[in-house]
Amino acid sequence: MDLKSNHTPVLTDTAPITKSRLHVHSSLLPYSHAGATFPHGMLLTIPRKKTGILEDVRSSGWLDAMKSSSPPPRNITKDVSNGFASSEADTASSYFTWLLKYPSALTSFDQITNYAKGKRIALFMDYDGTLSPIVDNPDCAFMSENMRAAVKKVAEYFPTAIISGRSRDKVYEFVGLTELYYAGSHGMDIIGPVRQSVSDNHPNCIIRSADKQGKEVNLFQPAAEFLPMIDEVLKSLIECTKDIKGAKVENNKFCVSVHYRNVDEKNWDLVGQRVNDVLKCYPRLRLTHGRKVLEVRPVINWDKGKAVTFLLESLGLNNCDDVLPIYIGDDRTDEDAFKVLREGNKGYGILVSSAPKESNAIYSLRDPSEVMEFLKSLVVWKSSSLKSLI
């Protein structure tokens, strides 16, 4: 089959957020095993998304989307009588109003742990913007030693996985912990425990491999057939953006990220147009956007939400009413995971954001420092619970 054509790629984004949020902050969701699950024989049946026509990247919708992921600095006017900047006051007011809808996971910690009593917590987290700060150079998105220690400790008590848009190897280099499970390329490259039922039923997507310590693991790569195409596009994107100051193309194995964080805003449309021009010949690739980044991904029906479900099954924790999955993330792509947990009443999504925005999450945390505090609180709560049983 010819992987190229003269059609333009489809513009897709994460699943739309429903208008009704059911006000879940006022009463905890009951756990249910119904919802987003994958029965055997269907777990890894991954249909291709339909391709379509992408409007010119300079159209208002796409360029506005690029701008919305990186809002310009606010104009601050000084309120002399009250002694504070009015813009800051407005921002604080809107954030506190937003917290009524997405309450802090720290202030709601007792509520979360009360519901978690008698359940096994499974923890899933994004990396950039969640465990590490967003930085200008994506190669320098290092997590602090304190954060690494907090993640290592929480993994001693709960199954813990990191699901990132980065390549799996890159995330492992940043984190450097063998106690975790890693999913790179938005869940298209997962390393997990060996389970006979999963491996034998889906030999085309899962292969036996070994981790850094030589331990046998399952390696799940539903987009393996796209690797030659991704490599080809990677080279083209590097070549066509090399004259745009500040643009950076990152190889994330099963997807390619084009960062425009350091590009002058007047050239953002140029970045988008160059990317679009390359993708016109690749209808089996799609274009999405994140926080100051354009991402080229295979057109398959797979995302972070499905990665969470796959990992739960791999861990033997799916369809169990004594399991409480918690997903912490800050990006648009994390909404797929939030949506899976919300729709199935399976667990809690926690959005990391210091600015108000709509989400499928139930709770919120302001920044990575609050994420670390939440992880430490989980450890204290669990260790205290275990001691009370002695």
Side-chain angles (χ1 to χ4, degrees):
M1 176 180 177
D2 185 7
L3 299 182
K4 295 184 178 182
S5 81
N6 291 324
H7 296 88
T8 52
V10 64
L11 170 61
T12 63
D13 215 326
T14 53
I17 298 168
T18 56
K19 292 182 179 179
S20 173
R21 287 182 40 82
L22 304 179
H23 303 287
V24 255
H25 64 273
S26 59
S27 60
L28 290 173
L29 288 171
Y31 188 90
S32 168
H33 61 264
T37 60
F38 293 90
H40 286 295
M42 294 179 62
L43 176 60
L44 299 180
T45 300
I46 307 170
R48 269 49 181 169
K49 288 177 180 276
K50 294 181 179 179
T51 56
I53 302 299
L54 174 65
E55 293 181 359
D56 189 285
V57 77
R58 289 172 294 186
S59 67
S60 60
W62 186 241
L63 186 56
D64 286 348
M66 292 176 71
K67 291 181 178 179
S68 69
S69 69
S70 36
R74 287 184 172 85
N75 293 323
I76 298 177
T77 57
K78 189 74 173 180
D79 185 333
V80 179
S81 60
N82 292 309
F84 57 78
S86 60
S87 177
E88 293 175 352
D90 292 343
T91 300
S93 176
S94 62
Y95 182 76
F96 286 122
T97 300
W98 180 76
L99 283 177
L100 297 176
K101 195 174 184 181
Y102 306 89
S104 167
L106 292 175
T107 58
S108 305
F109 189 77
D110 288 344
Q111 189 178 18
I112 293 172
T113 53
N114 283 338
Y115 186 67
K117 288 178 180 178
K119 301 182 185 296
R120 294 173 289 167
I121 290 178
L123 189 61
F124 304 91
M125 296 177 286
D126 187 17
Y127 181 76
D128 292 276
T130 299
L131 299 179
S132 72
I134 298 294
V135 295
D136 289 341
N137 184 351
D139 291 333
C140 297
F142 305 113
M143 65 192 307
S144 68
E145 288 302 320
N146 287 337
M147 178 66 87
R148 182 173 289 104
V151 174
K152 180 180 176 67
K153 196 67 178 176
V154 82
E156 294 177 8
Y157 291 95
F158 313 105
T160 303
I162 294 179
I163 304 178
S164 172
R166 302 267 198 156
S167 72
R168 178 170 50 82
D169 289 341
K170 178 71 70 67
V171 176
Y172 180 81
E173 287 177 12
F174 278 135
V175 179
L177 296 175
T178 60
E179 297 86 348
L180 313 180
Y181 301 105
Y182 293 89
S185 304
H186 300 291
M188 289 181 284
D189 188 10
I190 302 176
I191 192 167
V194 172
R195 283 183 63 81
Q196 196 72 20
S197 60
V198 175
S199 177
D200 289 350
N201 286 341
H202 308 283
N204 292 332
C205 291
I206 303 179
I207 60 174
R208 292 286 176 89
S209 185
D211 63 13
K212 302 288 185 181
Q213 289 68 46
K215 180 182 177 181
E216 189 176 30
V217 293
N218 274 343
L219 185 61
F220 171 59
Q221 297 178 332
E225 66 178 288
F226 288 87
L227 270 180
M229 190 191 311
I230 292 291
D231 288 341
E232 189 176 315
V233 169
L234 172 69
K235 294 174 183 176
S236 297
L237 289 174
I238 291 174
E239 180 64 27
C240 77
T241 60
K242 66 181 182 181
D243 64 329
I244 304 177
K245 185 177 180 180
K248 180 177 178 61
V249 179
E250 183 181 11
N251 179 7
N252 286 317
K253 191 164 185 174
F254 292 102
C255 55
V256 179
S257 300
V258 182
H259 300 271
Y260 57 91
R261 179 172 298 276
N262 297 318
V263 175
D264 191 308
E265 187 173 342
K266 68 182 181 183
N267 290 325
W268 286 2
D269 61 340
L270 179 60
V271 174
Q273 190 62 56
R274 296 278 179 86
V275 174
N276 179 50
D277 288 344
V278 169
L279 292 189
K280 285 179 180 178
C281 296
Y282 296 90
R284 297 184 66 196
L285 298 179
R286 61 187 177 122
L287 194 60
T288 63
H289 64 277
R291 296 175 66 172
K292 295 184 182 178
V293 61
L294 298 175
E295 294 187 305
V296 178
R297 302 161 64 178
V299 181
I300 64 172
N301 188 19
W302 194 262
D303 51 43
K304 288 185 176 183
K306 292 179 173 61
V308 167
T309 304
F310 174 81
L311 279 167
L312 284 171
E313 176 158 323
S314 297
L315 292 165
L317 300 176
N318 208 29
N319 290 336
C320 300
D321 55 10
D322 66 337
V323 173
L324 179 65
I326 295 176
Y327 189 102
I328 308 174
D330 73 304
D331 195 65
R332 286 175 177 267
T333 57
D334 298 312
E335 290 297 330
D336 294 309
F338 297 154
K339 189 170 185 286
V340 163
L341 297 186
R342 168 179 288 279
E343 288 186 341
N345 286 352
K346 295 166 69 77
Y348 295 133
I350 301 177
L351 174 67
V352 182
S353 179
S354 60
K357 57 183 177 181
E358 284 298 308
S359 175
N360 283 304
I362 296 173
Y363 294 107
S364 68
L365 292 167
R366 194 176 187 94
D367 50 34
S369 66
E370 287 199 351
V371 173
M372 182 167 65
E373 187 176 348
F374 179 79
L375 298 181
K376 289 180 176 179
S377 297
L378 280 178
V379 169
V380 171
W381 168 75
K382 186 62 177 180
S383 60
S384 299
S385 300
L386 293 176
K387 288 178 181 177
S388 67
L389 299 176
I390 299 176

